[in-house]
Amino acid sequence: MKFYELNPNIPVNDSYNVFVRVSSVRTISGAPTSITITTPVFDVGLPWRVVVRGLPEAAALHWRASNTPFSAGDATPPWSNPTGEYRYWQARLQTSDSNILLERIEFLPDAFPLLVWRRFRSYWQLFETGEGRLTKGPFRTVFGSGNQRRIGENEWKQTNDEERNVGDGWL
Amino acid sequence: MRFGRLLKRGDQLFAASCQISSGAVILQRQATDDYVRMRVPDTNCPPLPQPNSPLDSGVADEAEPNRWLVSGTPNTSNKWLVKQQTDQIQLSYSCFSGDFVIEVSSDYVSKTGTCTGEIGTYSWDGVALMFELGGKTFGIGVCWSHHFGLTEVPWGGEQTGRSYLWFVAQGSGVPLHAELIIPNAQTDVRYRVQRSGSNIRFGMLNSSGSWVYSQWLEAGTGQIQFRWEGVRVLGGGILR
């Protein structure tokens, strides 16, 4: 409680505890016309069809994509909600309603993996998509890409010969 | 991959990597969940959620356990009942870089305790919307008012009257203050805070439905963090 005494020489003996109800607050003017949250540019590794979702649905969702790298603040590519296969994706969620909270932005693969097959050092994947079955590949398999330990000024020892699949596991 | 909720490896919170526009603020709901809202104090004063009982309905206040910083024991089951001596409800972020007008609906409910003073002295007890700006404390609120030997408000001879008080305090000096008594005011009366440039003024709705404003007060620029807090002003100061 804030306490101010205007004239301490004239005592007032006050032990009141007042109860006040606050019912609402609203901005008459001065509120932002809208707010936006923008994700970083998201590299999915290979050109890929992606479903972008924003929550809540009442918020406006826009996204853009390209197969050429771009920065988050670039003017291009346009925010045109493309649906093709792209490697680089970015989304933004927007509302002009002060009662709406911007909850989530999701990048989901527009394909469900059914099968993987391998030939030599490459592999392929079969997906079920909204537009039928889709084969992706070949993907390269890289050997000797596991952990390394420095053992000299210019010497490194391979400590793990784990295989890693380039372009795999990004979701 | 998702932003705003950590459900799988690779997910990120908004605060970790996303950019917001200037009128927005990122608030955390849980360690694995954050969201974005407009930087305004608007609320219908619903029951406030407890920490760690989050929803993500996207509806303001209903799912915002960290929007309001509460101390004391205000009863928020039916709007927000704030006790002068113990309670405080503060917005957890600041608002408004430029000009603005906000309007509060509030009302005096009851009191406990006693108050005595010499004829000619004054007392105001209430709960005010307060904020700091330019090194000063500004406030406007609904008060119980004694003018000893003259009137006692909210009733003071007007059984349905209400009393507002606005004030500006700086350091330990005597606050600049003024009072408005509204006879026949009904419940849910309203007051305003308005900024234009670097000046602030207060508005109070009279019983005729017209806004009565204070003079413009030198304040300052920059964002403001609002709070409701009890206030007591005593003595025989000069009413302006």
Side-chain angles (χ1 to χ4, degrees):
Chain A
M1 180 178 73
K2 287 282 186 183
F3 175 68
Y4 304 103
E5 191 164 22
L6 307 183
N7 190 347
N9 297 322
I10 305 176
V12 177
N13 301 310
D14 186 351
S15 68
Y16 280 155
N17 190 14
V18 171
F19 293 61
V20 167
R21 177 167 284 121
V22 181
S23 302
S24 69
V25 185
R26 65 189 180 107
T27 301
I28 306 298
S29 66
T33 53
S34 68
I35 57 168
T36 301
I37 181 144
T38 308
T39 70
V41 178
F42 181 44
D43 180 359
V44 300
L46 289 167
W48 208 278
R49 187 179 296 270
V50 169
V51 175
V52 186
R53 285 201 321 201
L55 293 174
E57 292 181 357
L61 176 68
H62 297 95
W63 65 87
R64 58 182 181 172
S66 173
N67 285 317
T68 305
F70 61 96
S71 297
D74 288 353
T76 57
W79 295 90
S80 55
N81 294 10
T83 55
E85 294 187 353
Y86 299 98
R87 177 170 173 176
Y88 302 97
W89 294 78
Q90 186 183 25
R92 70 184 185 197
L93 201 54
Q94 184 175 33
T95 183
S96 56
D97 186 338
S98 65
N99 288 311
I100 289 180
L101 310 178
L102 304 179
E103 295 284 351
R104 206 179 309 170
I105 298 174
E106 296 178 330
F107 295 91
L108 303 171
D110 185 27
F112 181 77
L114 295 174
L115 185 66
V116 177
W117 68 93
R118 179 182 292 250
R119 181 178 173 83
F120 303 115
R121 290 186 175 178
S122 297
Y123 69 97
W124 288 258
Q125 286 183 288
L126 180 65
F127 295 90
E128 185 72 64
T129 76
E131 299 174 348
R133 293 191 171 181
L134 172 73
T135 300
K136 298 283 288 185
F139 298 103
R140 288 184 301 118
T141 301
V142 179
F143 289 88
S145 55
N147 293 335
Q148 295 177 326
R149 183 164 56 89
R150 191 167 195 163
I151 57 175
E153 185 176 355
N154 294 307
E155 290 180 276
W156 295 81
K157 181 180 181 183
Q158 191 72 37
T159 60
N160 185 339
D161 285 334
E162 168 194 2
E163 294 180 6
R164 290 187 178 175
N165 297 323
V166 174
D168 188 19
W170 57 273
L171 289 169
Chain B
M1 173 72 174
R2 57 185 55 77
F3 295 89
R5 174 74 75 88
L6 307 182
L7 295 176
K8 294 173 68 175
R9 189 169 62 88
D11 294 349
Q12 295 182 26
L13 295 178
F14 285 134
S17 56
C18 295
Q19 297 292 320
I20 54 173
S21 56
S22 60
V25 60
I26 300 175
L27 296 178
Q28 192 167 62
R29 185 175 288 123
Q30 279 188 314
T32 58
D33 185 8
D34 64 0
Y35 63 95
V36 180
R37 71 154 12 263
M38 201 174 278
R39 275 187 183 271
V40 290
D42 296 30
T43 180
N44 287 317
C45 304
L48 292 178
Q50 299 299 306
N52 295 317
S53 60
L55 300 168
D56 62 354
S57 62
V59 178
D61 279 329
E62 179 180 285
E64 298 188 90
N66 297 310
R67 185 185 182 202
W68 299 97
L69 305 174
V70 178
S71 59
T73 55
N75 183 346
T76 67
S77 62
N78 176 22
K79 302 300 183 179
W80 296 349
L81 188 63
V82 182
K83 297 182 288 294
Q84 175 197 7
Q85 290 193 6
T86 55
D87 298 344
Q88 185 182 113
I89 301 178
Q90 176 170 291
L91 203 56
S92 64
Y93 53 88
S94 54
C95 307
F96 304 125
S97 308
D99 297 353
F100 70 88
V101 179
I102 61 168
E103 183 175 312
V104 179
S105 178
S106 182
D107 196 30
Y108 164 84
V109 175
S110 64
K111 67 172 175 57
T112 60
T114 60
C115 184
T116 57
E118 296 179 16
I119 289 177
T121 59
Y122 308 89
S123 74
W124 296 273
D125 289 272
V127 172
L129 177 69
M130 293 190 204
F131 53 93
E132 316 294 331
L133 195 59
K136 302 172 186 174
T137 301
F138 294 80
I140 180 169
V142 180
C143 289
W144 175 280
S145 169
H146 264 302
H147 294 192
F148 292 101
L150 293 174
T151 57
E152 183 185 56
V153 186
W155 291 288
E158 296 283 353
Q159 291 292 322
T160 57
R162 292 293 184 270
S163 172
Y164 293 98
L165 174 75
W166 64 258
F167 61 92
V168 182
Q170 188 170 21
S172 58
V174 173
L176 178 68
H177 65 285
E179 183 187 35
L180 177 69
I181 299 170
I182 302 178
N184 303 314
Q186 302 302 305
T187 57
D188 291 330
V189 288
R190 286 179 283 167
Y191 54 84
R192 287 182 172 181
V193 180
Q194 179 177 4
R195 179 165 69 183
S196 177
S198 61
N199 296 313
I200 291 278
R201 71 173 179 175
F202 299 105
M204 296 156 277
L205 191 65
N206 69 18
S207 53
S208 309
S210 300
W211 286 94
V212 178
Y213 285 97
S214 70
Q215 72 268 35
W216 287 102
L217 304 156
E218 187 178 341
T221 57
Q223 294 190 328
I224 293 172
Q225 193 167 12
F226 295 101
R227 67 179 185 275
W228 279 274
E229 185 181 4
V231 61
R232 171 171 294 161
V233 181
L234 300 179
I238 300 169
L239 286 177
R240 294 175 183 242

